[in-house]
Coordinates of all heavy atoms in Angstrom, one line a residue:
M1 N 147.9 133.8 120.2 CA 148.3 134.8 121.1 C 148.8 134.2 122.3 O 148.7 133.0 122.6 CB 147.1 135.8 121.4 CG 146.0 135.1 122.3 SD 145.0 136.4 123.1 CE 146.1 137.2 124.2
T2 N 149.5 135.1 123.2 CA 150.1 134.6 124.4 C 149.6 135.4 125.6 O 149.6 136.6 125.5 CB 151.6 134.7 124.2 OG1 152.1 133.9 123.1 CG2 152.3 134.2 125.5
F3 N 149.3 134.6 126.6 CA 149.0 135.2 127.9 C 150.3 135.0 128.8 O 150.8 133.9 128.8 CB 147.8 134.6 128.6 CG 146.5 134.9 128.0 CD1 146.0 134.1 126.9 CD2 145.8 136.0 128.3 CE1 144.8 134.3 126.3 CE2 144.5 136.2 127.7 CZ 144.1 135.4 126.7
I4 N 150.6 136.0 129.6 CA 151.7 135.9 130.6 C 151.0 135.9 131.9 O 150.4 136.9 132.3 CB 152.7 137.0 130.5 CG1 153.2 137.3 129.1 CG2 153.9 136.8 131.5 CD1 154.2 136.2 128.5
A5 N 151.2 134.8 132.6 CA 150.6 134.7 134.0 C 151.3 135.5 135.0 O 152.4 135.9 134.7 CB 150.6 133.2 134.4
A6 N 150.7 135.7 136.1 CA 151.3 136.5 137.2 C 152.7 135.9 137.6 O 153.6 136.6 138.0 CB 150.4 136.7 138.4
S7 N 152.8 134.6 137.5 CA 154.0 133.9 137.8 C 155.1 134.1 136.8 O 156.3 133.8 137.0 CB 153.7 132.4 137.9 OG 153.4 131.9 136.6
G8 N 154.8 134.7 135.6 CA 155.7 134.9 134.5 C 155.6 133.8 133.5 O 156.3 133.9 132.4
A9 N 154.9 132.8 133.7 CA 154.7 131.7 132.7 C 154.0 132.2 131.5 O 153.0 132.9 131.6 CB 154.0 130.5 133.3
A10 N 154.5 131.8 130.3 CA 153.8 132.2 129.1 C 152.9 131.1 128.6 O 153.3 129.9 128.6 CB 154.9 132.4 128.0
I11 N 151.7 131.4 128.3 CA 150.7 130.5 127.9 C 150.2 130.8 126.5 O 149.5 131.8 126.3 CB 149.4 130.5 128.8 CG1 149.9 130.2 130.3 CG2 148.4 129.5 128.4 CD1 149.1 131.0 131.3
E12 N 150.7 130.0 125.5 CA 150.4 130.3 124.1 C 149.1 129.6 123.7 O 149.0 128.4 124.0 CB 151.5 129.9 123.2 CG 151.4 130.5 121.8 CD 152.7 130.2 121.0 OE1 153.8 130.1 121.5 OE2 152.5 129.9 119.8
I13 N 148.2 130.3 123.1 CA 146.9 129.8 122.8 C 146.5 130.1 121.3 O 146.7 131.2 120.9 CB 145.8 130.3 123.7 CG1 146.0 129.8 125.2 CG2 144.4 129.9 123.3 CD1 145.1 130.4 126.2
Q14 N 146.1 129.1 120.6 CA 145.6 129.3 119.3 C 144.2 129.8 119.4 O 143.3 129.2 120.0 CB 145.5 127.9 118.5 CG 146.9 127.3 118.2 CD 147.7 128.1 117.2 OE1 147.1 128.7 116.3 NE2 149.0 128.2 117.4
A15 N 143.9 130.9 118.8 CA 142.6 131.6 118.9 C 141.9 131.8 117.6 O 142.6 131.9 116.6 CB 142.8 133.0 119.6
A16 N 140.6 131.7 117.6 CA 139.9 131.9 116.4 C 139.7 133.4 116.2 O 139.5 134.2 117.1 CB 138.5 131.3 116.5
V17 N 139.8 133.9 114.9 CA 139.5 135.3 114.6 C 138.1 135.6 115.0 O 137.2 134.8 114.9 CB 139.7 135.5 113.1 CG1 139.1 136.8 112.6 CG2 141.1 135.4 112.7
G18 N 137.9 136.8 115.7 CA 136.6 137.2 116.1 C 136.4 137.0 117.6 O 135.5 137.6 118.2
C19 N 137.2 136.1 118.2 CA 137.1 135.8 119.6 C 137.7 137.0 120.4 O 138.6 137.6 119.9 CB 137.9 134.5 119.9 SG 137.8 133.9 121.5
S20 N 137.2 137.2 121.6 CA 137.8 138.3 122.3 C 138.8 137.7 123.3 O 138.8 136.5 123.6 CB 136.7 139.1 123.1 OG 136.3 138.4 124.3
V21 N 139.7 138.6 123.7 CA 140.7 138.1 124.7 C 140.1 137.6 126.0 O 140.5 136.6 126.6 CB 141.7 139.3 124.9 CG1 142.6 139.0 126.1 CG2 142.6 139.5 123.7
M22 N 139.0 138.3 126.4 CA 138.3 137.9 127.6 C 137.7 136.5 127.4 O 137.9 135.6 128.2 CB 137.2 138.9 127.9 CG 136.3 138.5 129.1 SD 134.9 137.4 128.6 CE 133.8 138.6 127.8
Q23 N 137.0 136.2 126.3 CA 136.5 134.9 126.0 C 137.5 133.8 126.0 O 137.3 132.7 126.6 CB 135.8 134.9 124.7 CG 134.5 135.7 124.6 CD 134.0 135.8 123.2 OE1 134.8 136.0 122.2 NE2 132.7 135.7 123.0
L24 N 138.6 134.1 125.4 CA 139.7 133.1 125.3 C 140.3 132.8 126.7 O 140.5 131.6 127.0 CB 140.8 133.7 124.4 CG 141.8 132.8 123.8 CD1 141.1 131.8 122.9 CD2 142.8 133.6 122.9
A25 N 140.5 133.8 127.5 CA 141.0 133.6 128.8 C 140.0 132.8 129.7 O 140.4 132.0 130.5 CB 141.3 135.0 129.5
R26 N 138.8 133.1 129.5 CA 137.8 132.3 130.3 C 137.7 130.9 129.9 O 137.7 130.0 130.7 CB 136.4 132.9 130.1 CG 136.1 134.1 130.9 CD 134.7 134.4 131.3 NE 133.7 134.2 130.2 CZ 132.6 134.8 130.1 NH1 132.2 135.6 131.1 NH2 131.8 134.6 129.1
E27 N 137.8 130.6 128.5 CA 137.7 129.3 128.0 C 138.9 128.4 128.5 O 138.8 127.2 128.7 CB 137.7 129.3 126.5 CG 136.4 129.7 125.9 CD 136.5 130.0 124.4 OE1 137.5 129.6 123.8 OE2 135.5 130.5 123.8
H28 N 140.0 129.1 128.8 CA 141.2 128.4 129.2 C 141.5 128.5 130.7 O 142.6 128.2 131.2 CB 142.4 128.8 128.4 CG 142.3 128.4 127.0 ND1 141.6 129.0 126.0 CD2 142.8 127.3 126.4 CE1 141.6 128.4 124.9 NE2 142.4 127.3 125.1
D29 N 140.4 129.0 131.5 CA 140.5 129.1 132.9 C 141.8 129.9 133.4 O 142.5 129.4 134.2 CB 140.5 127.7 133.6 CG 139.2 127.1 133.5 OD1 138.2 127.8 133.5 OD2 139.1 125.8 133.3
L30 N 142.0 131.0 132.8 CA 143.2 131.8 133.2 C 142.9 132.9 134.3 O 143.7 133.8 134.5 CB 143.7 132.5 131.9 CG 144.2 131.6 130.8 CD1 144.8 132.3 129.6 CD2 145.2 130.5 131.3
G31 N 141.7 132.8 134.9 CA 141.5 133.6 136.1 C 140.8 135.0 135.7 O 140.8 135.9 136.5
I32 N 140.4 135.1 134.5 CA 139.6 136.3 134.0 C 138.1 136.0 134.2 O 137.6 135.0 133.6 CB 140.0 136.6 132.6 CG1 141.4 137.0 132.4 CG2 139.0 137.7 132.0 CD1 141.8 138.4 132.8
E33 N 137.4 136.9 134.9 CA 136.0 136.6 135.2 C 135.1 137.0 134.0 O 134.3 136.3 133.6 CB 135.6 137.3 136.4 CG 136.1 136.6 137.7 CD 135.7 137.4 138.9 OE1 134.6 138.0 138.9 OE2 136.5 137.3 139.9
G34 N 135.3 138.2 133.5 CA 134.4 138.7 132.5 C 132.9 138.6 132.9 O 132.1 138.1 132.1
T35 N 132.6 139.1 134.1 CA 131.3 138.9 134.7 C 130.2 139.5 133.9 O 129.1 138.9 133.8 CB 131.3 139.6 136.1 OG1 132.5 139.2 136.8 CG2 130.1 139.3 136.9
C36 N 130.4 140.6 133.2 CA 129.3 141.2 132.4 C 129.2 140.7 131.0 O 128.4 141.2 130.2 CB 129.4 142.7 132.4 SG 130.6 143.4 131.3
D37 N 130.0 139.7 130.6 CA 130.0 139.1 129.3 C 130.3 140.1 128.2 O 129.8 140.0 127.1 CB 128.6 138.5 129.0 CG 128.6 137.0 129.4 OD1 129.7 136.4 129.4 OD2 127.5 136.5 129.6
G38 N 131.1 141.1 128.5 CA 131.6 142.0 127.5 C 130.8 143.2 127.2 O 130.9 143.8 126.2
S39 N 129.9 143.5 128.2 CA 129.0 144.7 128.0 C 129.6 145.9 128.7 O 128.8 146.9 128.9 CB 127.6 144.4 128.4 OG 127.6 143.9 129.7
L40 N 130.8 145.9 129.0 CA 131.5 147.1 129.5 C 130.9 147.6 130.8 O 130.7 148.8 131.0 CB 131.4 148.3 128.5 CG 132.6 148.3 127.5 CD1 132.3 149.5 126.5 CD2 133.9 148.5 128.1
A41 N 130.6 146.6 131.7 CA 130.0 147.0 133.0 C 130.6 146.4 134.2 O 130.1 146.5 135.3 CB 128.5 146.5 132.9
C42 N 131.8 145.7 134.0 CA 132.4 145.1 135.2 C 133.9 145.3 135.4 O 134.3 145.3 136.5 CB 132.1 143.6 135.1 SG 133.1 142.7 133.9
A43 N 134.7 145.4 134.3 CA 136.1 145.6 134.4 C 136.8 144.4 135.0 O 138.0 144.5 135.4 CB 136.5 146.9 135.1
T44 N 136.2 143.2 135.1 CA 136.9 142.0 135.6 C 137.6 141.3 134.5 O 138.1 140.2 134.7 CB 135.9 141.1 136.2 OG1 134.9 140.6 135.2 CG2 135.1 141.7 137.4
C45 N 137.7 141.9 133.3 CA 138.4 141.3 132.2 C 139.7 142.1 131.9 O 140.3 142.0 130.8 CB 137.6 141.3 131.0 SG 137.0 143.0 130.5
H46 N 140.2 142.8 133.0 CA 141.4 143.6 132.8 C 142.6 142.7 132.4 O 142.9 141.7 133.0 CB 141.7 144.3 134.2 CG 143.0 145.0 134.3 ND1 143.7 145.0 135.4 CD2 143.7 145.8 133.4 CE1 144.8 145.8 135.2 NE2 144.8 146.2 134.0
V47 N 143.3 143.2 131.4 CA 144.6 142.6 131.0 C 145.6 143.8 130.7 O 145.2 144.9 130.5 CB 144.5 141.7 129.7 CG1 143.6 140.5 130.0 CG2 144.0 142.5 128.5
I48 N 146.9 143.4 130.7 CA 147.9 144.5 130.5 C 148.6 144.1 129.2 O 149.3 143.0 129.1 CB 148.9 144.5 131.6 CG1 148.1 144.9 132.9 CG2 149.9 145.6 131.4 CD1 148.7 144.4 134.2
V49 N 148.5 144.9 128.2 CA 149.1 144.6 126.9 C 150.6 144.9 127.0 O 151.0 145.8 127.6 CB 148.4 145.4 125.8 CG1 149.1 145.2 124.4 CG2 146.9 145.2 125.7
E50 N 151.4 144.0 126.3 CA 152.8 144.2 126.3 C 153.0 145.6 125.7 O 152.5 145.9 124.6 CB 153.5 143.2 125.5 CG 153.7 141.9 126.2 CD 154.7 142.0 127.4 OE1 155.9 142.0 127.2 OE2 154.2 142.2 128.5
P51 N 153.8 146.5 126.4 CA 154.0 147.9 125.9 C 154.4 148.0 124.5 O 153.9 148.8 123.7 CB 155.0 148.4 126.9 CG 154.8 147.6 128.1 CD 154.5 146.3 127.7
A52 N 155.3 147.1 124.0 CA 155.7 147.2 122.6 C 154.6 146.9 121.6 O 154.8 147.1 120.4 CB 156.9 146.2 122.4
Q53 N 153.5 146.3 122.1 CA 152.4 145.9 121.2 C 151.2 146.8 121.3 O 150.2 146.6 120.5 CB 152.0 144.5 121.5 CG 153.2 143.5 121.3 CD 152.7 142.1 121.0 OE1 151.5 141.8 121.1 NE2 153.6 141.2 120.7
I54 N 151.2 147.7 122.2 CA 149.9 148.5 122.4 C 149.5 149.2 121.2 O 148.3 149.4 120.9 CB 150.1 149.4 123.6 CG1 148.7 150.0 124.1 CG2 151.1 150.5 123.4 CD1 147.7 149.0 124.6
A55 N 150.5 149.7 120.3 CA 150.1 150.4 119.1 C 149.4 149.5 118.1 O 148.8 150.1 117.1 CB 151.4 151.0 118.5
R56 N 149.4 148.2 118.3 CA 148.7 147.4 117.4 C 147.2 147.4 117.6 O 146.4 147.0 116.7 CB 149.2 145.9 117.5 CG 150.6 145.7 117.3 CD 151.0 144.3 117.6 NE 150.5 143.4 116.5 CZ 150.5 142.1 116.6 NH1 151.0 141.5 117.7 NH2 150.0 141.3 115.6
L57 N 146.8 147.9 118.7 CA 145.3 147.9 119.1 C 144.7 149.3 118.7 O 145.4 150.3 118.9 CB 145.1 147.7 120.5 CG 145.7 146.4 121.1 CD1 145.3 146.2 122.6 CD2 145.1 145.2 120.3
A58 N 143.5 149.3 118.4 CA 142.7 150.6 118.3 C 142.7 151.2 119.6 O 142.6 150.5 120.7 CB 141.3 150.3 117.7
P59 N 142.7 152.5 119.7 CA 142.6 153.2 121.0 C 141.3 152.8 121.8 O 140.3 152.4 121.1 CB 142.6 154.7 120.7 CG 143.0 154.8 119.3 CD 142.7 153.5 118.6
A60 N 141.4 152.8 123.1 CA 140.2 152.5 123.9 C 139.1 153.5 123.7 O 139.4 154.7 123.5 CB 140.6 152.4 125.4
S61 N 137.9 153.1 123.7 CA 136.8 154.0 123.6 C 136.6 154.8 124.9 O 137.2 154.4 126.0 CB 135.5 153.2 123.4 OG 135.2 152.4 124.5
A62 N 135.8 155.8 125.0 CA 135.6 156.6 126.2 C 135.0 155.7 127.2 O 135.3 155.7 128.4 CB 134.7 157.8 125.9
E63 N 134.1 154.8 126.8 CA 133.4 153.9 127.8 C 134.4 152.9 128.4 O 134.4 152.6 129.6 CB 132.3 153.1 127.1 CG 131.1 153.9 126.6 CD 131.3 154.6 125.3 OE1 132.4 154.4 124.7 OE2 130.4 155.3 124.9
E64 N 135.3 152.4 127.5 CA 136.3 151.5 128.1 C 137.3 152.2 129.0 O 137.6 151.7 130.1 CB 137.2 150.9 126.9 CG 138.2 149.9 127.4 CD 139.0 149.2 126.3 OE1 138.7 149.4 125.1 OE2 140.0 148.5 126.7
E65 N 137.6 153.5 128.7 CA 138.5 154.3 129.6 C 137.8 154.5 131.0 O 138.5 154.4 132.0 CB 138.8 155.6 129.0 CG 139.7 155.6 127.7 CD 141.2 155.3 128.1 OE1 141.5 155.1 129.2 OE2 142.0 155.3 127.1
E66 N 136.5 154.7 130.9 CA 135.8 154.9 132.2 C 135.8 153.7 133.1 O 136.0 153.8 134.3 CB 134.3 155.3 131.9 CG 134.1 156.7 131.6 CD 132.6 157.0 131.3 OE1 131.7 156.3 131.9 OE2 132.4 157.9 130.5
M67 N 135.6 152.5 132.4 CA 135.7 151.3 133.2 C 137.1 151.0 133.7 O 137.3 150.5 134.8 CB 135.2 150.1 132.4 CG 133.7 150.1 132.1 SD 132.7 150.3 133.6 CE 133.0 148.8 134.5
L68 N 138.1 151.3 132.9 CA 139.5 151.1 133.3 C 139.8 151.9 134.5 O 140.7 151.4 135.3 CB 140.4 151.4 132.1 CG 140.5 150.3 131.0 CD1 141.2 150.9 129.8 CD2 141.2 149.1 131.6
D69 N 139.2 153.0 134.7 CA 139.5 153.8 135.9 C 139.1 153.1 137.2 O 139.6 153.5 138.2 CB 138.7 155.2 135.8 CG 139.3 156.1 134.8 OD1 140.5 155.9 134.5 OD2 138.6 157.1 134.4
L70 N 138.3 152.1 137.1 CA 137.9 151.3 138.3 C 138.8 150.1 138.6 O 138.6 149.5 139.6 CB 136.4 150.8 138.1 CG 135.4 151.8 137.7 CD1 134.1 151.1 137.4 CD2 135.2 152.8 138.8
V71 N 139.7 149.9 137.7 CA 140.6 148.7 137.8 C 141.7 148.9 138.8 O 142.4 149.9 138.8 CB 141.2 148.4 136.4 CG1 142.3 147.4 136.5 CG2 140.1 147.8 135.5
P72 N 141.8 148.0 139.8 CA 143.0 148.1 140.7 C 144.3 147.7 139.9 O 144.2 146.9 139.0 CB 142.7 147.0 141.8 CG 141.6 146.2 141.3 CD 141.0 146.8 140.1
G73 N 145.3 148.4 140.2 CA 146.6 148.1 139.5 C 146.7 148.5 138.1 O 147.3 147.9 137.3
L74 N 146.0 149.6 137.8 CA 145.9 150.1 136.4 C 147.3 150.4 135.9 O 148.1 151.0 136.6 CB 145.1 151.3 136.3 CG 144.8 151.9 134.9 CD1 143.8 151.0 134.2 CD2 144.2 153.3 135.0
Q75 N 147.6 150.0 134.7 CA 148.9 150.2 134.0 C 148.7 151.1 132.8 O 147.6 151.1 132.2 CB 149.6 148.9 133.6 CG 149.8 147.9 134.8 CD 150.9 148.4 135.7 OE1 152.0 148.8 135.2 NE2 150.6 148.4 137.0
P76 N 149.8 151.7 132.3 CA 149.6 152.5 131.1 C 149.1 151.7 129.9 O 148.4 152.3 129.0 CB 151.0 153.0 130.8 CG 151.7 153.0 132.1 CD 151.1 151.8 132.8
T77 N 149.3 150.4 129.8 CA 148.8 149.7 128.7 C 147.7 148.7 129.1 O 147.4 147.7 128.4 CB 150.0 148.9 128.0 OG1 150.5 148.0 129.0 CG2 151.0 149.8 127.5
S78 N 147.0 149.1 130.2 CA 145.9 148.3 130.6 C 144.7 148.4 129.6 O 144.5 149.5 129.1 CB 145.3 148.8 132.0 OG 146.2 148.4 133.0
R79 N 144.1 147.3 129.4 CA 142.9 147.3 128.5 C 141.9 146.3 129.1 O 142.2 145.5 129.9 CB 143.2 146.9 127.1 CG 144.2 147.9 126.4 CD 143.6 149.2 126.1 NE 142.4 149.2 125.2 CZ 142.4 149.4 123.9 NH1 143.6 149.7 123.4 NH2 141.3 149.4 123.2
L80 N 140.6 146.4 128.6 CA 139.6 145.4 128.9 C 139.7 144.3 127.9 O 139.5 144.6 126.7 CB 138.2 146.1 129.0 CG 138.1 147.1 130.1 CD1 136.7 147.7 130.1 CD2 138.4 146.5 131.5
G81 N 139.8 143.1 128.3 CA 140.0 142.0 127.4 C 138.8 141.8 126.5 O 138.9 141.3 125.4
C82 N 137.6 142.1 127.0 CA 136.4 141.9 126.2 C 136.3 142.9 125.0 O 135.6 142.7 124.1 CB 135.1 142.1 127.0 SG 134.8 143.8 127.7
Q83 N 137.1 143.9 125.1 CA 137.1 144.9 124.0 C 138.2 144.7 123.0 O 138.3 145.4 122.0 CB 137.3 146.3 124.6 CG 136.1 146.7 125.5 CD 134.8 146.6 124.9 OE1 134.5 147.3 123.9 NE2 133.9 145.7 125.4
I84 N 139.0 143.6 123.2 CA 140.0 143.3 122.2 C 139.5 142.1 121.4 O 139.5 140.9 121.9 CB 141.4 143.0 122.9 CG1 141.8 144.1 123.8 CG2 142.5 142.7 121.8 CD1 143.1 143.8 124.6
R85 N 139.1 142.3 120.2 CA 138.7 141.2 119.3 C 139.9 140.8 118.5 O 140.5 141.6 117.8 CB 137.5 141.7 118.4 CG 136.3 141.9 119.1 CD 135.2 140.9 118.7 NE 134.2 141.0 119.7 CZ 133.7 140.0 120.4 NH1 134.1 138.7 120.1 NH2 132.7 140.1 121.3
L86 N 140.1 139.5 118.4 CA 141.3 139.0 117.7 C 141.0 139.0 116.2 O 140.0 138.6 115.7 CB 141.7 137.6 118.2 CG 142.1 137.7 119.7 CD1 142.2 136.3 120.2 CD2 143.4 138.4 119.8
T87 N 142.0 139.5 115.5 CA 142.0 139.5 114.0 C 143.3 138.9 113.5 O 144.2 138.7 114.3 CB 141.9 141.0 113.5 OG1 143.1 141.7 114.0 CG2 140.7 141.7 114.1
D88 N 143.4 138.7 112.2 CA 144.7 138.2 111.7 C 145.8 139.2 112.0 O 146.9 138.8 112.2 CB 144.5 138.1 110.1 CG 143.7 136.8 109.8 OD1 143.7 135.9 110.6 OD2 143.1 136.9 108.7
E89 N 145.5 140.5 112.0 CA 146.5 141.5 112.2 C 147.0 141.4 113.6 O 148.1 141.9 113.9 CB 145.9 142.9 112.0 CG 145.6 143.3 110.5 CD 144.4 142.5 110.0 OE1 143.5 142.2 110.7 OE2 144.4 142.2 108.8
L90 N 146.3 140.9 114.6 CA 146.7 140.8 116.0 C 147.4 139.4 116.3 O 147.6 139.1 117.4 CB 145.5 141.0 116.9 CG 145.0 142.4 116.9 CD1 143.8 142.6 117.9 CD2 146.1 143.4 117.3
D91 N 147.7 138.7 115.2 CA 148.4 137.4 115.4 C 149.6 137.6 116.3 O 150.4 138.6 116.0 CB 148.8 136.9 114.1 CG 149.4 135.5 114.2 OD1 149.0 134.7 115.1 OD2 150.2 135.1 113.3
G92 N 149.8 136.8 117.3 CA 151.0 136.9 118.1 C 150.9 138.0 119.2 O 151.9 138.3 119.9
L93 N 149.7 138.5 119.5 CA 149.5 139.5 120.6 C 149.9 138.9 121.9 O 149.7 137.7 122.2 CB 148.0 139.9 120.6 CG 147.7 140.9 121.6 CD1 148.2 142.3 121.2 CD2 146.1 141.0 121.8
V94 N 150.5 139.7 122.8 CA 150.9 139.2 124.1 C 150.3 140.1 125.1 O 150.4 141.4 125.1 CB 152.5 139.3 124.3 CG1 152.9 138.8 125.6 CG2 153.1 138.4 123.2
V95 N 149.6 139.5 126.1 CA 149.0 140.3 127.2 C 149.3 139.6 128.5 O 149.5 138.4 128.6 CB 147.5 140.5 127.1 CG1 147.1 141.1 125.7 CG2 146.7 139.2 127.3
R96 N 149.5 140.5 129.5 CA 149.8 140.0 130.9 C 148.5 139.9 131.6 O 147.6 140.7 131.5 CB 150.7 140.9 131.6 CG 152.1 140.9 131.1 CD 153.1 141.7 131.9 NE 154.4 141.5 131.3 CZ 155.2 140.5 131.7 NH1 154.9 139.6 132.6 NH2 156.3 140.3 131.0
L97 N 148.4 138.9 132.5 CA 147.2 138.7 133.4 C 147.6 139.5 134.7 O 148.7 139.3 135.2 CB 147.0 137.3 133.7 CG 146.6 136.4 132.4 CD1 146.7 134.9 132.7 CD2 145.1 136.8 132.0
P98 N 146.7 140.3 135.2 CA 147.0 141.1 136.3 C 147.1 140.3 137.6 O 146.6 139.2 137.7 CB 145.9 142.1 136.5 CG 144.7 141.5 135.7 CD 145.3 140.6 134.7
Ligands
LIG101 FE1 132.8 143.1 131.7 FE2 134.8 143.3 130.0 S1 133.7 141.5 130.6 S2 133.9 144.9 131.1

């Protein structure tokens, strides 16, 4: 998958299936905190999915939507990185770092 930094730089990372976008960003020091370790209690794992790719993801749960409401700079394709688990089907996913 690929992360796009705030500077516009693309960072392509080989990810294991089952890893979350939040875990991957943390492992590579991309500035994602993920303070609650994926328990939907912090919203510090905010990422912005490339609009052309948002349909590849399952819709956000009600709990995820509630946490997203707390995110500064919310975008129409904002998601919580801890809720995106990588699968073979998501190969090549692109998300922006806020
Ligand atoms: Fe806390 Fe995602 S890591 S909501």
Side-chain angles (χ1 to χ4, degrees):
M1 70 162 290
T2 301
F3 290 90
I4 309 288
S7 66
I11 304 148
E12 194 176 325
I13 294 176
Q14 293 292 325
V17 166
C19 185
S20 77
V21 167
M22 176 274 285
Q23 289 170 319
L24 201 58
R26 281 207 316 204
E27 284 168 13
H28 290 82
D29 291 327
L30 299 182
I32 294 280
E33 288 179 27
T35 311
C36 77
D37 268 335
S39 56
L40 273 176
C42 73
T44 61
C45 59
H46 174 216
V47 295
I48 302 155
V49 178
E50 279 295 277
Q53 298 202 356
I54 192 68
R56 300 177 72 191
L57 302 182
S61 66
E63 292 84 0
E64 183 180 352
E65 292 284 6
E66 275 178 33
M67 290 308 296
L68 281 168
D69 285 343
L70 306 176
V71 163
L74 187 70
Q75 301 289 314
T77 61
S78 286
R79 296 295 298 263
L80 295 180
C82 67
Q83 300 302 299
I84 306 173
R85 291 247 163 233
L86 295 170
T87 61
D88 285 333
E89 291 71 31
L90 290 179
D91 186 29
L93 183 70
V94 181
V95 305
R96 289 185 177 274
L97 296 164

